[in-house]
Amino acid sequence: MGSLDTGIIGPVLPSIEQSFNLTSRDSSWIFTLFVIAFMIGSPIMAKFSDFYGRKKIFILDVLLFGIGSFLIASSMNIESILLGRVIQGFGCGGIFPVAGAFIGDGFPLEERGKALGILGSVFGISAIGGPLVGAALIPFGWNWCFTINIPISIFLIIFADYILPDLEKQRKLKIDYSGIILLSLLAIFLSYGLNQIDSSNFMNSILSFNVLPFLIIFIILIPIFFIIEKRAQESIVPIHMLRNKEISIACIETLCYGIVYSSAIFIPSLVILSMGLNNQSASLMLIPILGANAVAAPILGKILDSAGSRKIMAIGTLIMSFGLIAIAAYPNNLILFLIAGCLIGIGMVTIIGAPLRYIVLTEAKATERGAGQAIVNMLSSAGQLIGGALIGGTVASFQEYSVIK
């Protein structure tokens, strides 16, 4: 549900723009505010789950997501939609790391790979399938794309209360207010700066006063944030975990994955440019990635415990590279495009799915599993923001070239 809503907003934006007479720049805040809240909510909710119990925080996250969905579905103005997206994003940011930490708490080491494989397949399908679901629901009204979350949220809260175990003893948390404020500023400046980039005039836009100052402030705040978090008694983001070589490498790979993941979102645009297909047919080009992701994730989980995460991630990176190179070299070949999509789907799930979360669960302390999973979420989101800006600029430049040609 949480992952689906990240991608479902794309097809919904044009309808919301028409309903409230918004420009594309105005409506982009519907996505940007969600991402900002997601990046802030991930470490905060994960940290709270490490101290106050996963079950309570997971239910709270789903409740927030449902409340945000209700606000959006019943909105009579754009302000309610934006507020709903902030609440949605904050709750959604906590759902992912807490779910991953549950696996670390509730499964023995030799079974975590299988459980993470199932979680990874659901995440992969819903994240890329969001645009497809959104396109299917739009004819009934854009509100239904969010109304559908409400009964699902109610069911999940009841189900979670009934079946999820209380595994942790509550501990007193000294809240890291300075870290939360700085983390919020980092997310806001990065998201705002990237959101203001005009993809049709990419380089000049980056150097403009609407973009460059915010990105510079973001860069300046990074070392300040690290210093404050190192000194904090209970840092909202456990910086000390980055001293672990395995976790630090996993974090770098997560950031890179976020950038690569953005390319999958733009596949329909690439197909329209290279093959001349319409929007509906172009969206179907995501199916090979979806299918390969769904099939590969549970299989990957089964062999992860025995094969090891390093070997799987190395092979997955190679497979995904072949797929990306094939699409770049032969964008007009439909058969090769479909095969390459399958390779990308397999590669993506071997990098970001079970293996990365498996590494963090294994290397992190039991009392920091939630916080460790949150780092993966934050860096993946940052990578998607950066990749979306870079790839969006590339797509726009090719569109301009096509028009001129």
Side-chain angles (χ1 to χ4, degrees):
M1 181 183 67
S3 165
L4 191 72
D5 225 69
T6 305
I8 207 173
I9 195 65
V12 175
L13 284 180
S15 298
I16 296 178
E17 289 173 4
Q18 289 181 343
S19 299
F20 297 99
N21 296 318
L22 304 176
T23 64
S24 297
R25 180 66 65 186
D26 294 332
S27 66
S28 66
W29 281 106
I30 298 174
F31 172 77
T32 303
L33 286 175
F34 181 91
V35 174
I36 292 174
F38 183 95
M39 294 177 68
I40 297 171
S42 283
I44 293 176
M45 287 300 190
K47 192 71 174 182
F48 282 9
S49 79
D50 286 335
F51 277 79
Y52 300 124
R54 314 247 188 257
K55 182 176 180 177
K56 291 179 180 178
I57 301 301
F58 184 82
I59 291 175
L60 175 61
D61 290 330
V62 176
L63 177 62
L64 288 173
F65 190 87
I67 292 172
S69 298
F70 175 78
L71 280 176
I72 299 171
S74 59
S75 291
M76 302 299 293
N77 52 61
I78 186 59
E79 289 78 15
S80 296
I81 292 179
L82 296 178
L83 177 61
R85 288 295 282 175
V86 170
I87 297 173
Q88 260 194 336
F90 197 83
C92 187
I95 290 174
F96 294 122
V98 177
F102 255 121
I103 291 175
D105 295 340
F107 288 81
L109 183 60
E110 64 273 11
E111 293 184 4
R112 288 177 190 169
K114 296 177 184 178
L116 287 170
I118 296 172
L119 188 65
S121 65
V122 174
F123 174 81
I125 293 171
S126 53
I128 301 177
L132 301 177
V133 175
L137 291 176
I138 283 176
F140 302 98
W142 64 265
N143 309 68
W144 280 99
C145 294
F146 302 98
T147 302
I148 196 173
N149 292 332
I150 300 171
I152 296 175
S153 298
I154 294 172
F155 169 78
L156 285 176
I157 290 172
I158 296 172
F159 192 65
D161 184 59
Y162 174 73
I163 198 172
L164 292 181
D166 288 309
L167 297 173
E168 313 90 346
K169 294 180 179 179
Q170 292 191 20
R171 297 179 292 148
K172 188 176 180 180
L173 171 63
K174 186 176 181 181
I175 299 176
D176 178 20
Y177 291 106
S178 299
I180 292 174
I181 293 172
L182 268 176
L183 175 65
S184 301
L185 291 175
L186 282 168
I188 290 169
F189 282 114
L190 175 63
S191 301
Y192 183 85
L194 293 176
N195 183 62
Q196 296 302 303
I197 293 177
D198 181 3
S199 57
S200 62
N201 190 20
F202 189 68
M203 289 307 301
N204 290 334
S205 177
I206 288 181
L207 299 176
S208 69
F209 287 106
N210 290 331
V211 177
L212 188 60
F214 296 95
L215 298 183
I216 290 176
I217 294 173
F218 166 76
I219 294 172
I220 292 173
L221 287 178
I222 291 176
I224 299 175
F225 177 72
F226 271 72
I227 293 172
I228 289 178
E229 290 300 271
K230 286 180 180 179
R231 295 176 179 176
Q233 183 176 340
E234 287 292 346
S235 58
I236 199 67
V237 177
I239 300 297
H240 63 273
M241 291 178 65
L242 299 179
R243 297 173 189 158
N244 184 297
K245 183 180 178 181
E246 301 285 344
I247 292 179
S248 62
I249 293 175
C251 288
I252 295 172
E253 291 174 341
T254 301
L255 183 66
C256 294
Y257 161 83
I259 297 174
V260 174
Y261 172 81
S262 300
S263 66
I265 301 300
F266 286 93
I267 279 180
S269 300
L270 174 61
V271 171
I272 292 172
L273 290 172
S274 61
M275 301 183 191
L277 299 181
N278 57 36
N279 289 333
Q280 187 174 9
S281 299
S283 296
L284 296 177
M285 293 298 103
L286 289 172
I287 291 178
I289 296 179
L290 277 171
N293 201 302
V295 173
I299 296 174
L300 172 69
K302 289 183 179 181
I303 65 174
L304 179 60
D305 296 312
S306 57
S309 55
R310 289 186 180 181
K311 187 182 296 184
I312 288 176
M313 291 177 69
I315 295 173
T317 301
L318 190 62
I319 291 173
M320 186 173 67
S321 299
F322 282 136
L324 292 171
I325 292 171
I327 286 181
Y330 303 98
N332 301 315
N333 189 316
L334 178 59
I335 302 299
L336 190 59
F337 201 102
L338 295 175
I339 296 173
C342 293
L343 296 178
I344 293 172
I346 294 171
M348 287 174 67
V349 78
T350 56
I351 297 175
I352 191 60
L356 268 180
R357 298 189 181 275
Y358 186 92
I359 290 173
V360 176
L361 281 179
T362 304
E363 298 295 327
K365 298 177 182 178
T367 55
E368 293 182 330
R369 283 172 179 155
Q373 296 295 305
I375 293 177
V376 174
N377 278 3
M378 291 171 56
L379 291 175
S380 177
S381 298
Q384 290 177 42
L385 284 172
I386 296 169
L390 295 175
I391 298 170
T394 303
V395 171
S397 65
F398 273 102
Q399 286 176 331
E400 288 181 348
Y401 174 77
S402 299
V403 170
I404 295 173
K405 189 175 179 179

